[in-house]
Amino acid sequence: LMKIYEEHGKTKQMKQLYEQEVEMRTRFLQKDDASTLSRILQIQQSLADLYTDEGEVEQAEKMYEQGLRTAYQKLGLDHPHTIQSRYELARLYESHRKLGEVERIYGEALEISKERLQSGDPHIIDRYNDLIKFYLSHRDSVNKAEPFVEKVSRLCEPLLMEQTLPEDYMLTIVHTLANKALFYHKKYMDKKKREEAALWFERALKISKERLGKSHQDTIDVRKRYVELLKDMGLNYKAAAVEIDAITMEEATNGSDW
């Protein structure tokens, strides 16, 4: 029925069905029933998307906020559905220039993780990196990132000493190094600091290629940022070499027709 409504653009009926399903599933939700709870959160996200498409921004925000609070309480700070709900709400606020609300969401997630986890836990570092990335994406907020960049670098040092780490920990390291490089790129104009930024990007790219893979999305993102910095520094020949290296690796992996 939902598919029929969607095909005919009957969004009002779709909303009603979603709302009915949320109500029914919530009524029979048992303690620790993660699968049902996950489904409720998925429906709430679909409802929020419908509200957004219809221009009902306040309703969409309300639905995302509700879903996020439920996810925090029932699934935990770092459950995939919680993370997705947080990012979706942050993106919605950011698209409407409600930057204070975005900062609040990431700040709350950081404070909750600091309360519940031990200092140095990679999940705390991830929440710092979310906030740093947000600050660095807005020119007026770059300076706010500075104390967090240095703190996260110190927290990440023990991880850098480990020889074997799971992929999510490697992502934490790559994001930390890349954020530090990006901060130096955006904050400073002098040659010495830009050279430091290049070194941080090189380190992040090396780790990402070796531990995550040459075609991993984070490897691609770090490489792109590194190339942008090199071009800003006037090192076009070096930027071209990095890009050619990426193409060569892709051809070796996927063939010349990729």
Side-chain angles (χ1 to χ4, degrees), residues 26-52:
T26 302
R27 186 186 309 158
F28 295 103
L29 179 64
Q30 301 294 317
K31 185 178 180 181
D32 298 326
D33 187 353
S35 61
T36 299
L37 182 56
S38 294
R39 176 57 186 163
I40 290 173
L41 292 171
Q42 288 173 346
I43 298 167
Q44 288 176 325
Q45 184 170 324
S46 296
L47 260 174
D49 291 341
L50 278 176
Y51 285 131
T52 302

Side-chain angles (χ1 to χ4, degrees), residues 157-205:
E157 284 175 5
L159 294 180
L160 289 167
M161 304 297 292
E162 297 289 338
Q163 295 300 313
T164 57
L165 288 170
E167 182 174 321
D168 56 338
Y169 283 33
M170 294 311 305
L171 284 169
T172 297
I173 291 173
V174 170
H175 292 167
T176 299
L177 296 175
N179 277 342
K180 184 164 188 175
L182 186 59
F183 170 73
Y184 274 61
H185 182 188
K186 289 180 174 288
K187 170 76 174 178
Y188 303 109
M189 296 298 295
D190 64 274
K191 182 180 178 182
K192 184 177 180 180
K193 291 293 185 182
R194 288 288 175 93
E195 288 174 347
E196 285 188 51
L199 291 175
W200 287 114
F201 271 132
E202 286 174 8
R203 192 174 184 188
L205 184 57

Side-chain angles (χ1 to χ4, degrees), residues 31-92:
K31 185 178 180 181
D32 298 326
D33 187 353
S35 61
T36 299
L37 182 56
S38 294
R39 176 57 186 163
I40 290 173
L41 292 171
Q42 288 173 346
I43 298 167
Q44 288 176 325
Q45 184 170 324
S46 296
L47 260 174
D49 291 341
L50 278 176
Y51 285 131
T52 302
D53 292 342
E54 293 289 296
E56 299 177 58
V57 178
E58 290 185 2
Q59 281 295 103
E61 291 172 357
K62 181 179 178 182
M63 190 58 60
Y64 274 129
E65 287 277 9
Q66 181 181 333
L68 183 57
R69 297 301 162 209
T70 302
Y72 278 156
Q73 295 167 7
K74 303 293 186 179
L75 296 177
L77 184 71
D78 291 293
H79 189 280
H81 283 307
T82 307
I83 293 171
Q84 186 63 28
S85 295
R86 184 164 56 242
Y87 288 156
E88 292 294 342
L89 179 57
R91 276 196 285 266
L92 180 63

Side-chain angles (χ1 to χ4, degrees), residues 33 41 58 82 104 132 135 156 164 222 238 244 250:
D33 187 353
L41 292 171
E58 290 185 2
T82 307
R104 173 183 64 80
I132 291 168
Y135 285 144
C156 202
T164 57
V222 172
K238 191 169 184 178
I244 290 170
E250 286 290 349

Side-chain angles (χ1 to χ4, degrees), residues 201-209 219 222-223 226 242:
F201 271 132
E202 286 174 8
R203 192 174 184 188
L205 184 57
K206 182 176 185 294
I207 292 173
S208 193
K209 287 195 297 185
T219 304
V222 172
R223 184 188 298 118
Y226 182 35
V242 173

